[in-house]
Amino acid sequence: MTSFLTHRHRTKKARTRSRSSLAKFMVYAFLTLLLLTLVWTLCIHKSITMNSNDNANANNSESAFLTSFISPSTASTASTSSSSSVTIKSTNTRPKSISRSLITNNQLFQTVLKRDHGKGWEILRNDGIVTNTGITESNPYGYKCRWSEFQSTSGNTAQMCVHDFFDFVSSSINRKKRWNDCDVLPKLWNATKTKSKTTTTATTTTAGTGDNNIDGDDDDDDDDDGLYVEIGANIGSCVMEMLLSTNANIIAFEPHPRNLFHLRSTISKLHPSLQNRVLIVPTALGGASATSKIYSAKNNMGNSVVGRVIKDYETQEIRESEQHEISIERLDSILDVDAFASSSSSSSHTHAHHNSSIRLMKMDAQGFECHVLDGMGRVIPQHIQSLHFEFARKWLQGQECLDLLPRVRGIGFDIYRDSRKIESDTLDLEVVELLGKRRK
């Protein structure tokens, strides 16, 4: 009996010790888990803090890089800014505002571009994603491409996004692979080339693949050929002619959303070396910063008129679906007049990027040309070597611009039709292409 009681007592003590050990283990496990949770929380907090600091440093570094890229003397000031854009003061205190994300690495564009955005508009990169229906971004209206082969006068080819309905320019490209009005532009461009330089043209490109290549490097040779500025680019037939037939750096202005969609789709499908030579500015040009409505004619998106309805013929339909609010800007508010002034004041150019002259400008603004000239200011016209423009009586009259010819002469040009100099202040012709040559 005593032995039995002793055994039960020992068993009870063993069970008590076992329960005590289990309780201690659970307490230790709980404390260990709590400690690990605390350590993990501290690590996460430190990681977030480090990432925030890295992002801030990266933003400051990017700001400093962009500032020094455009104006090295102001790099240290801009690197301390935390705003969404970099504002740089030039030598005459006029600000230059460029988006933090570089829209192009073309240094000539970076030199002459004063700003890349405004109220209701922004310059976008040319490397958007393109599908069979066109560029996938910035297409709120559901526009679609019809892809057609474009062949320049030099024989180079590329795929072009044209309208998927009957349109005069698009139909011409479908049938003849180009728009004939643009054929003269490479000749005019080469005629402005300085005697010390030899003509360089693009080599053969491959149709439909986007693997377009140009001869030589992507930087110095291209930038050496100066600027071609097109005002009223439509879907880009003349942009493509100049891009494939010359080494021009092209700044194209086009305000209509549908035309912009087709132009951007075409450029975004090209090889990066070609994309880098084009800057698309999605605004109209005029004499003041403003907004207006643009009206487009059925079967002719080229007849897109700012602020007025002007038809090709009396019964032509002006489609309500193609009426849009657009932005208007002065040219001298987008291009930096200091870049042109400093280019002319330098006795010699040690680098091609400093050659900021506009060798050729094409202006087809559907009667809005006088307003465009008003917005150029005093400096920019002095640095345009040749001005190709249209005299279209009905459209000029509708925009109160029948004095276009004396205005063009007033900014320093002699006017020619073919090789004949035009002396009169008006013409009896309804529509004619003219050329302004910088007066010596």
Side-chain angles (χ1 to χ4, degrees):
M1 184 67 180
T2 303
S3 176
F4 174 75
L5 292 174
T6 302
H7 176 73
R8 287 187 61 186
H9 179 69
R10 288 176 179 173
T11 302
K12 186 176 181 180
K13 289 182 66 177
R15 289 175 178 171
T16 302
R17 285 197 300 269
S18 176
R19 290 171 181 169
S20 177
S21 298
L22 179 61
K24 289 180 180 179
F25 173 77
M26 292 179 66
V27 170
Y28 291 151
F30 174 76
L31 292 175
T32 302
L33 181 61
L34 183 62
L35 181 62
L36 290 175
T37 302
L38 180 61
V39 172
W40 180 80
T41 302
L42 291 173
C43 290
I44 291 296
H45 176 73
K46 183 176 181 180
S47 175
I48 292 173
T49 302
M50 292 178 64
N51 287 338
S52 298
N53 291 337
D54 289 343
N55 290 338
N57 291 335
N59 287 339
N60 287 337
S61 298
E62 183 182 3
S63 173
F65 167 75
L66 178 58
T67 307
S68 61
F69 190 61
I70 301 171
S71 179
S73 63
T74 57
S76 60
T77 301
S79 64
T80 62
S81 174
S82 59
S83 62
S84 60
S85 63
V86 181
T87 302
I88 304 166
K89 290 187 177 181
S90 60
T91 54
N92 68 349
T93 71
R94 293 180 180 176
K96 177 179 272 191
S97 180
I98 306 295
S99 174
R100 187 177 293 278
S101 60
L102 289 174
I103 55 174
T104 175
N105 59 11
N106 185 313
Q107 293 188 22
L108 181 55
F109 291 155
Q110 291 289 349
T111 298
V112 302
L113 190 64
K114 187 174 184 178
R115 59 187 176 118
D116 65 358
H117 61 279
K119 184 178 181 180
W121 66 274
E122 179 183 11
I123 300 175
L124 300 177
R125 294 178 61 90
N126 290 331
D127 55 359
I129 299 174
V130 181
T131 66
N132 288 335
T133 58
I135 196 165
T136 57
E137 60 177 316
S138 302
N139 185 20
Y141 302 103
Y143 299 138
K144 294 181 180 180
C145 287
R146 174 179 177 180
W147 291 99
S148 185
E149 183 179 78
F150 181 92
Q151 184 176 52
S152 70
T153 54
S154 61
N156 299 325
T157 61
Q159 288 294 299
M160 187 168 178
C161 169
V162 300
H163 294 299
D164 59 349
F165 52 83
F166 178 81
D167 170 80
F168 290 135
V169 175
S170 295
S171 297
S172 174
I173 294 170
N174 287 330
R175 291 183 291 105
K176 300 187 291 186
K177 299 186 178 182
R178 64 174 173 267
W179 178 243
N180 289 340
D181 288 5
C182 307
D183 292 357
V184 70
L185 295 175
K187 298 177 182 178
L188 297 178
W189 173 263
N190 291 330
T192 65
K193 203 168 187 70
T194 57
K195 295 181 180 180
S196 61
K197 299 176 182 178
T198 57
T199 302
T200 306
T201 57
T203 58
T204 303
T205 59
T206 304
T209 64
D211 295 330
N212 308 71
N213 293 301
I214 54 175
D215 189 21
D217 297 332
D218 294 341
D219 45 19
D220 289 356
D221 289 343
D222 294 344
D223 290 344
D224 188 54
D225 279 295
L227 287 170
Y228 166 70
V229 176
E230 182 163 342
I231 301 169
N234 197 350
I235 63 172
S237 51
C238 291
V239 169
M240 291 298 290
E241 178 62 49
M242 289 294 291
L243 190 61
L244 298 181
S245 294
T246 74
N247 278 342
N249 295 278
I250 301 168
I251 301 179
F253 292 86
E254 174 54 48
H256 197 285
R258 183 184 284 275
N259 289 337
L260 273 170
F261 166 80
H262 288 77
L263 176 56
R264 290 194 62 233
S265 296
T266 296
I267 300 303
S268 293
K269 195 178 179 69
L270 298 175
H271 188 274
S273 61
L274 294 175
Q275 292 177 2
N276 193 47
R277 289 171 43 211
V278 182
L279 194 70
I280 301 171
V281 186
T283 181
L285 293 178
S289 178
T291 58
S292 184
K293 183 168 286 189
I294 193 167
Y295 301 88
S296 298
K298 184 178 180 180
N299 301 332
N300 185 10
M301 286 298 299
N303 186 24
S304 296
V305 185
V306 176
R308 305 285 178 90
V309 173
I310 304 177
K311 301 179 180 181
D312 293 305
Y313 49 90
E314 187 61 32
T315 59
Q316 187 176 39
E317 178 185 348
I318 302 297
R319 295 185 296 181
E320 186 175 354
S321 62
E322 299 300 344
Q323 298 175 20
H324 297 277
E325 289 291 326
I326 61 166
S327 299
I328 304 174
E329 299 285 358
R330 290 178 59 92
L331 181 61
D332 62 5
S333 76
I334 296 176
L335 299 186
D336 190 355
V337 296
D338 290 346
F340 296 98
S342 61
S343 174
S344 62
S345 63
S346 177
S347 57
S348 62
H349 303 304
T350 57
H351 198 281
H353 296 155
H354 296 160
N355 182 14
S356 303
S357 67
I358 300 173
R359 283 180 50 186
L360 178 62
M361 175 181 284
K362 179 180 180 293
M363 182 171 58
D364 186 358
Q366 298 302 103
F368 213 63
E369 283 80 359
C370 290
H371 301 281
V372 174
L373 295 180
D374 289 341
M376 289 186 185
R378 182 182 57 85
V379 176
I380 291 178
Q382 299 174 15
H383 301 277
I384 303 172
Q385 297 183 39
S386 292
L387 174 64
H388 183 270
F389 65 100
E390 182 181 74
F391 183 94
R393 174 175 295 277
K394 181 193 294 186
W395 284 263
L396 292 173
Q397 185 173 13
Q399 298 283 14
E400 300 178 354
C401 184
L402 283 175
D403 60 340
L404 177 61
L405 299 187
R407 282 173 177 253
V408 171
R409 293 192 190 96
I411 59 173
F413 291 94
D414 291 327
I415 302 172
Y416 294 83
R417 183 189 178 194
D418 298 327
S419 58
R420 183 172 65 89
K421 187 176 180 179
I422 304 295
E423 300 286 0
S424 62
D425 287 344
T426 187
L427 297 172
D428 294 332
L429 301 170
E430 287 301 315
V431 180
V432 62
E433 303 290 328
L434 300 173
L435 178 66
K437 296 182 179 180
R438 167 62 48 190
R439 192 177 301 122
K440 297 180 180 179

